[in-house]
Amino acid sequence: MATFAGYDDDFLGTTVPLPVPLSPAHATRLDYPHFSVLLMHERRLAGSTAVNIDGAALVEVPRSGEWHLDPRVPAALQAGAEVYRRNDLDRGHLVRRRDPGWGTDAVAATEATFAYPNAAPQVADFNQSPQLWLGLEDHVLTYADAHDHRVSVFTAPVLGADDPPYRGIRIPRRFWKVAAWVDAPGALRSAAFLLDQSDLLDGSSLLTADRARVSIAPLPPFLTFQVPAADVAALTGLDLGPLVRADVLSVPAARRPRWVALDTPDDITLV
């Protein structure tokens, strides 16, 4: 496998590190073209991912690539094909296929997003439907158009202790995303989001690992919230570094805004 530099901490002109756990944990950082994945050994899923997006250099790459294990880590540490076989779970990209697809590494980058460490289980109907969650990065990238077209995006499941078990893993109840960019005056800004699928999972019948199918009851769509980045840090136990201070929702703790449910892009706060 070729060696790539992965996520660049200084891509935005100010240092924004890959989020890592505040407490000691067994994890492996995996670098791909323009993005990196922090694979948590115990959960066999990503604890964080980070991608650099250069909107001015994006290349329209035909969809290609097949899901595969990353040979740099043991298969037993990855949630591979067996998790998704004969059920209604999709391999949900954490770093989206098109986001790292820019520059001379565009093809290699998009194909690298099909590595299993970059996947997390999502119910097929929702992963394949045009929910607001899927358009968040497009909206932020459009907003950043006037600021050099550069955005860094961090995404992963919230690896909660109460996530329901299934086939040797636990299916995440929530996913988080933080987008970061530099505004016209040159200040780092960030916006944080949570996708909550608790109602879906609590209303589901997840069968044991030796059964053929996962049966999912019909439920409302995923709920997407814009939240303070500090809340994402608290929920995940990750060090988000400067992303917390740069949050567009930053206010004194006593006046911290409540989580805002998002229905349309107009509900998103970016200034």
Side-chain angles (χ1 to χ4, degrees), residues 7 13 51 68 78 99 129 149 162-163 177 181 250 263:
Y7 167 75
V51 59
H68 58 276
Q78 304 176 58
D99 286 351
S129 63
H149 304 75
D162 62 343
D163 292 339
K177 186 185 299 289
W181 67 97
S250 290
D263 294 315

Side-chain angles (χ1 to χ4, degrees), residues 187-209:
L188 179 69
R189 307 300 285 159
S190 70
F193 306 92
L194 278 172
L195 174 75
D196 193 317
Q197 62 174 339
S198 296
D199 287 347
L200 184 150
L201 291 175
D202 291 341
S204 303
S205 175
L206 297 176
L207 305 185
T208 56

Side-chain angles (χ1 to χ4, degrees), residues 7-63:
Y7 167 75
D8 180 359
D9 292 5
D10 300 313
F11 180 73
L12 299 178
T14 185
T15 301
V16 185
L18 173 74
V20 296
L22 286 166
S23 301
H26 294 293
T28 298
R29 173 172 172 156
L30 299 168
D31 291 326
Y32 304 95
H34 307 312
F35 73 98
S36 296
V37 174
L38 187 68
L39 179 65
M40 308 305 293
H41 294 183
E42 181 181 0
R43 290 295 300 265
R44 301 169 61 199
L45 296 169
S48 69
T49 69
V51 59
N52 304 126
I53 307 172
D54 188 342
L58 282 171
V59 177
E60 199 61 42
V61 177
R63 186 180 180 88

Side-chain angles (χ1 to χ4, degrees), residues 128-146:
Q128 296 170 16
S129 63
Q131 303 299 324
L132 178 58
W133 179 259
L134 301 180
L136 283 175
E137 289 166 48
D138 288 334
H139 186 72
V140 174
L141 192 61
T142 298
Y143 175 80
D145 237 10

Side-chain angles (χ1 to χ4, degrees), residues 34-204:
H34 307 312
F35 73 98
S36 296
V37 174
L38 187 68
L39 179 65
M40 308 305 293
H41 294 183
E42 181 181 0
R43 290 295 300 265
R44 301 169 61 199
L45 296 169
S48 69
T49 69
V51 59
N52 304 126
I53 307 172
D54 188 342
L58 282 171
V59 177
E60 199 61 42
V61 177
R63 186 180 180 88
S64 62
E66 296 182 357
W67 286 102
H68 58 276
L69 295 172
D70 191 310
R72 295 173 293 182
V73 289
L77 299 180
Q78 304 176 58
E82 71 282 357
V83 171
Y84 304 94
R85 188 174 291 120
R86 298 186 304 277
N87 57 33
D88 292 329
L89 294 177
D90 262 5
R91 304 162 177 85
H93 278 79
L94 296 173
V95 172
R96 298 189 311 169
R97 183 188 70 86
R98 68 182 294 269
D99 286 351
W102 53 272
T104 57
D105 292 327
V107 174
T110 58
E111 292 181 350
T113 65
F114 287 90
Y116 274 113
N118 187 46
Q122 294 180 349
V123 179
D125 287 347
F126 293 106
N127 183 46
Q128 296 170 16
S129 63
Q131 303 299 324
L132 178 58
W133 179 259
L134 301 180
L136 283 175
E137 289 166 48
D138 288 334
H139 186 72
V140 174
L141 192 61
T142 298
Y143 175 80
D145 237 10
H147 312 301
D148 280 347
H149 304 75
R150 286 195 164 200
V151 179
S152 290
V153 177
F154 311 85
T155 309
V158 176
L159 302 178
D162 62 343
D163 292 339
Y166 180 70
R167 294 185 180 178
I169 65 164
R170 295 201 298 277
I171 300 177
R173 293 178 178 275
R174 290 172 173 163
F175 291 80
W176 61 270
K177 186 185 299 289
V178 181
W181 67 97
V182 172
D183 65 15
L188 179 69
R189 307 300 285 159
S190 70
F193 306 92
L194 278 172
L195 174 75
D196 193 317
Q197 62 174 339
S198 296
D199 287 347
L200 184 150
L201 291 175
D202 291 341
S204 303

